[in-house]
């Protein structure tokens, strides 16, 4: 069974803080993704990575950065958290870069920025 | 980039009825169309997918149809049950990368 885990289920941070969200997958997947989920807006792609130290911007990268130092770990960084970054953050992974396979999601981190 | 529109945003049915959720996409190069189900408080999970060389795919009570000419695809759930209540997301591939663009979701409520 593929397992995607995220470091926290709930997180409360203050405006201006630096926030790290971590995601780990145990199935040797090449691709990893970060989404944010907001009511009525669905899942929007923030960043993705298809290899170690590789990263690509998604649809809404502003205010975020990512790090992938190891194949199994993909981190999302909010350099200076703002209230409009209050959201549910979902990490996902999938098998190949050049072929589309099922994306496996983590349980999500609900981030509140006050 | 790809744009995926999903309708309706909410759908209420009686147990045993059928439910249909429709999506349209904009990128004619899209070739993979998955559907994800997200139960309350849970992570999204793939329930069925279809590739561009196939017009229809079934798995027990769920089916997906694809019309590439019209650039739309639909999820059909027959004999709905209360446990089908969830948010359903359609998605389509983005050309060039192995990424997906998701629709905004449909909240399906099945009443006993």
């Amino acid at each position: 069974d593929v397992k995607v885990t995220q470091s926290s289920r709930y997180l409360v941070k203050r405006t201006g803080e630096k926030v790290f969200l971590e995601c780990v997958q145990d199935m040797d997947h090449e691709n990893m993704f970060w989404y944010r989920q907001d009511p009525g807006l669905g899942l929007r792609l923030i960043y993705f990575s298809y290899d170690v130290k590789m990263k690509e911007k998604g649809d809404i990268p502003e205010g975020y950065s990512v790090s992938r130092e190891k194949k199994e770990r993909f981190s999302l960084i909010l350099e200076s958290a703002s209230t409009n970054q209050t959201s549910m953050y979902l990490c996902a992974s999938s098998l190949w870069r050049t072929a589309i396979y099922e994306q496996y999601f983590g349980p999500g981190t609900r981030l509140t920025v006050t | 980039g790809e744009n995926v529109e999903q309708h309706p945003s909410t759908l209420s049915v009686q147990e045993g009825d059928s439910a249909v959720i429709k999506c349209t996409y904009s990128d004619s190069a899209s070739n993979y169309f998955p559907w994800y189900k997200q139960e309350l408080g849970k992570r999204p999970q793939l329930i069925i997918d279809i590739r561009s060389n196939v017009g229809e795919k079934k798995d027990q009570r769920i089916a997906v149809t694809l019309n590439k000419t019209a650039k739309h695809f639909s999820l059909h759930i027959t004999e709905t049950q209360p446990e089908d209540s969830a948010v359903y997301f359609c998605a389509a591939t983005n050309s060039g990368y192995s990424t997906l663009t998701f629709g905004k979701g449909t909240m399906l409520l099945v009443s006993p």
Side-chain angles (χ1 to χ4, degrees):
Chain A
D1 240 10
V2 175
K3 200 166 183 183
V4 182
T5 58
Q6 295 182 227
S7 49
S8 307
R9 289 301 304 272
Y10 300 93
L11 210 51
V12 179
K13 294 292 182 181
R14 294 194 180 277
T15 302
E17 279 192 88
K18 191 169 187 175
V19 182
F20 293 87
L21 303 181
E22 291 202 321
C23 175
V24 177
Q25 50 93 6
D26 67 355
M27 282 301 290
D28 204 35
H29 283 176
E30 282 80 6
N31 298 332
M32 296 189 76
F33 311 86
W34 274 106
Y35 295 91
R36 65 177 281 175
Q37 182 175 17
D38 300 288
L41 297 179
L43 299 165
R44 293 181 292 166
L45 183 64
I46 305 171
Y47 267 96
F48 64 101
S49 167
Y50 53 84
D51 204 350
V52 175
K53 296 194 185 296
M54 303 300 290
K55 60 183 179 184
E56 297 286 344
K57 292 180 179 179
D59 299 318
I60 52 165
E62 297 78 19
Y64 304 94
S65 63
V66 290
S67 172
R68 193 163 179 203
E69 296 296 319
K70 292 184 178 181
K71 190 175 185 179
E72 67 272 17
R73 190 179 297 269
F74 192 34
S75 300
L76 180 69
I77 303 154
L78 287 66
E79 295 289 341
S80 178
S82 64
T83 54
N84 62 12
Q85 293 178 310
T86 291
S87 187
M88 171 68 83
Y89 290 88
L90 289 164
C91 174
S93 70
S94 71
L95 192 55
W96 280 109
R97 174 176 65 175
T98 56
I100 301 300
Y101 283 85
E102 177 178 356
Q103 289 191 15
Y104 294 85
F105 285 86
T109 296
R110 185 166 294 283
L111 173 66
T112 302
V113 183
T114 62
Chain B
E2 176 71 279
N3 182 46
V4 176
E5 301 278 344
Q6 182 172 348
H7 299 280
S9 56
T10 58
L11 180 58
S12 293
V13 300
Q14 292 290 122
E15 183 176 359
D17 288 350
S18 294
V20 180
I21 303 170
K22 299 181 179 181
C23 289
T24 60
Y25 61 99
S26 60
D27 187 350
S28 56
S30 293
N31 58 7
Y32 174 72
F33 307 91
W35 286 87
Y36 284 79
K37 175 183 180 183
Q38 187 178 28
E39 297 176 8
L40 190 63
K42 302 267 182 80
R43 67 191 78 190
Q45 290 192 295
L46 180 73
I47 54 170
I48 195 167
D49 56 16
I50 191 167
R51 297 185 187 269
S52 59
N53 57 349
V54 175
E56 184 175 1
K57 184 177 178 181
K58 284 184 180 179
D59 183 3
Q60 298 182 340
R61 295 186 298 108
I62 60 173
V64 58
T65 58
L66 172 65
N67 183 327
K68 285 218 74 180
T69 304
K71 289 192 279 188
H72 67 71
F73 56 112
S74 300
L75 177 71
H76 305 253
I77 306 174
T78 58
E79 299 172 23
T80 53
Q81 300 166 4
E83 52 265 37
D84 294 328
S85 296
V87 178
Y88 292 81
F89 295 98
C90 63
T93 48
N94 296 300
S95 57
Y97 291 106
S98 53
T99 60
L100 298 171
T101 294
F102 285 84
K104 290 182 167 52
T106 296
M107 180 177 291
L108 174 64
L109 178 62
V110 182
S111 303

